[in-house]
Amino acid sequence: MSKKIFYTPGPSGLYPGLEKHLQKALEEHIPSISHRSNHFRGIYQDTFETLKSLFNIPQGFAVLFTGSATEIWERIIMSCVEEHSFHLVNGSFSQKFHETAQQLRKNAHKIEVPMGEGFELNTLEVFYKSELIALTHNETSTGVSMPTEDIHRLKEMNPNKLLAVDMVSSAPYPQLDFNKIDMAFFSVQKGFGLPAGLGVWIVHERCLAKSEKLSNAGFITGTYHRLSTLWNFFEKFQTPETPNVLGIYLLQKVAADMLKKGIKQIRKETDEKAKMLYEFLEQEEGFDIFVKNPAHRSSTVIIANTGFQSSKLIQKLSEKGFEIGSGYGENKDRQIRIANFPGTSQAEMEKLLDAMKKLRGSI
Amino acid sequence: MSKKIFYTPGPSGLYPGLEKHLQKALEEHIPSISHRSNHFRGIYQDTFETLKSLFNIPQGFAVLFTGSATEIWERIIMSCVEEHSFHLVNGSFSQKFHETAQQLRKNAHKIEVPMGEGFELNTLEVFYKSELIALTHNETSTGVSMPTEDIHRLKEMNPNKLLAVDMVSSAPYPQLDFNKIDMAFFSVQKGFGLPAGLGVWIVHERCLAKSEKLSNAGFITGTYHRLSTLWNFFEKFQTPETPNVLGIYLLQKVAADMLKKGIKQIRKETDEKAKMLYEFLEQEEGFDIFVKNPAHRSSTVIIANTGFQSSKLIQKLSEKGFEIGSGYGENKDRQIRIANFPGTSQAEMEKLLDAMKKLRGSI
């Protein structure tokens, strides 16, 4: 099979060096070790410490593993909400988080803005009884991102509510101040460039306290993956079930590679590549940046309306070895989505834009 | 790192040829493809068809994917039990299934026998109101297995109750008649010799009907992984969340390799290796087969009491490159557990027994 480069915002390209780590994992028999062994505990602890450094996570937080970020939506609502949750909805994924709360029969309140728009904090009123505010830092479906300052201010405005940040398609890019949020989560197949099948939940002990309060009051908070059970196992650097051991091992390796490169450098490069992409889309005929407000434009998932059937361009690019994403849902054939994750180099991005420029003319 | 052979009943040795499949997966960019693409749908469908052949699954069943078999315990209880479940408990894993139902506030009834024993069907009375019977074909903690004829008879005796078979540490060995059960499930890191992080739920549409009945009546049956949602996506060969795509791909490859070899042949070899192991443990000084009743002895997880600290033998074997399991829980240091999975050859088993014989003397 020919060489391909993935610029897709779903599962994406593998992080540079991943195949080497995978080879090493096989040599070390990582898929065969017991999840109750000291070997595994060491891997979990290393992963915890590495992510702590990468995200600058202060004391009081645990790092927990699930099968997906979708699972974390469910675990958050079950473990941390008795009656009222509040959701900032501006796309398909924030909407699904809201639906998760509804399916669990919570009073799931929401503020909703049209696709492609972000939130204005000055007019944003959170329902006073809400126990949890759920927001999506980066809406994969619309390419709208919430400035981290706004996230922090939202917590300052609502100090007694738990704040959950979905950073599925932006981690590790956003410079979150973990002193000003209660939890954040992501899955590994996007910014970290790993095979899918692992969700990562960074969660403060305030959330654990809430979960235990609910359990003690007789609420169903879940079983093997309720927050209190996950946390008890985390204290021994274990997991309730046999987890995705290989995925956790690889996450540690990639996070360590990122640390070595420097998170500042990764953010800088991400900004530079994003600037290049947006400038291209602005200048190039046939493309139109979807998110109008520059302050709300994502740096990691860049979306353009196309003045032509986007599937034609996507197909032509694919034939040349460039894989980009289609629009999401009903925008499938009139938008393109390009992931700007840390694993994609400046040179690879330039190659993509060259190809887009060339192929655009032949549609 | 030196060559090691894993005979462990947790995660176990990789199935022969797995590294080659993994290499192929990387060449085909499997970790980067979209889970909404036709490529992924094809992989899911192939996996479904291959498992259907391997397990001889009739019409009316779906094959669904979760993060672990532990997750499936939770999904079964949430999706298929309104009030009463009934559990056959004879070890730590069947007990955890029972606890899962309790944590979900069901009336979780049980019949319990001591560790190392199985069930006598003639005296087994299932609480009449039970909607579901949960049994563990192979108790990984005790090495007790339930004869498949007994499983089928239990369903015949209780035709109106759903029967769920945990075959985590025996699949694909047991020759289950899927016409006489309602669901069965396993995880891939045992008999299939794959990296952990994927649960497989083979489930009949009778269970879906029950789940929909509960949903319609207003019960909380879950969110993205409730049975009805999983099933709806299955019908398009998709999953609600980004699944462990690589794991599903590898499962198909290993299941196809098993089919090629022949499931009859795999069962025959498993029986022969099990016979050899039990004969060794019977004859060799210092070992004592844990399960007294030969009819209840597992063919895939073989457990012996040791007349010495088992950790000493396990350590000495490990130094020579043979990894076997310790006893489970409180039996940790007075038992050994040896997995007899399809990936382990007769020759490898002979080597292990030779090493055990030699090293036993030096303890």
Side-chain angles (χ1 to χ4, degrees), chain A residues 105, chain B residues 82 209-221:
Chain A
R105 312 282 149 149
Chain B
E82 180 181 336
K210 174 70 186 257
S211 165
E212 285 174 340
K213 196 182 132 200
L214 292 186
S215 282
N216 294 339
F219 290 91
I220 294 173
T221 54

Side-chain angles (χ1 to χ4, degrees), chain A residues 12 32 71 74-75 223-224, chain B residues 12 32 71 74-75 223-224:
Chain A
S12 200
S32 299
E71 183 184 347
E74 183 184 86
R75 304 308 178 186
T223 69
Y224 76 115
Chain B
S12 200
S32 300
E71 183 184 346
E74 184 184 85
R75 303 307 178 186
T223 69
Y224 75 115

Side-chain angles (χ1 to χ4, degrees), chain A residues 239-252:
Chain A
T239 57
E241 83 292 16
T242 313
N244 184 341
V245 176
L246 181 60
I248 295 169
Y249 171 95
L250 293 172
L251 172 61
Q252 194 279 327

Side-chain angles (χ1 to χ4, degrees), chain A residues 148-166:
Chain A
T148 50
E149 312 85 70
D150 284 3
I151 295 176
H152 303 148
R153 224 177 99 219
L154 192 59
K155 176 73 187 180
E156 282 161 8
M157 290 158 68
N158 300 276
N160 298 320
K161 304 187 193 319
L162 297 176
L163 183 66
V165 181
D166 179 333

Side-chain angles (χ1 to χ4, degrees), chain B residues 17 46 79 146 197 203 239 253 257 273:
Chain B
D46 281 354
S79 287
M146 190 163 185
V203 55
T239 56
K253 294 296 178 198
D257 288 346
K273 290 181 293 167

Side-chain angles (χ1 to χ4, degrees), chain A residues 29-87:
Chain A
H29 304 286
I30 298 300
S32 299
I33 65 168
S34 168
H35 57 297
R36 299 289 173 234
S37 66
N38 287 330
H39 191 171
F40 174 72
R41 278 199 286 269
I43 292 169
Y44 193 154
Q45 185 168 4
D46 281 354
T47 311
F48 173 61
E49 299 293 347
T50 311
L51 292 177
K52 256 181 96 167
S53 298
L54 189 69
F55 286 100
N56 196 21
I57 302 171
Q59 288 301 308
F61 279 87
V63 172
L64 309 175
F65 299 114
T66 67
S68 64
T70 305
E71 183 184 347
I72 299 174
W73 293 339
E74 183 184 86
R75 304 308 178 186
I76 289 173
I77 301 294
M78 287 188 81
S79 288
C80 301
V81 177
E82 181 182 334
E83 280 188 81
H84 298 276
S85 61
F86 187 87
H87 302 258

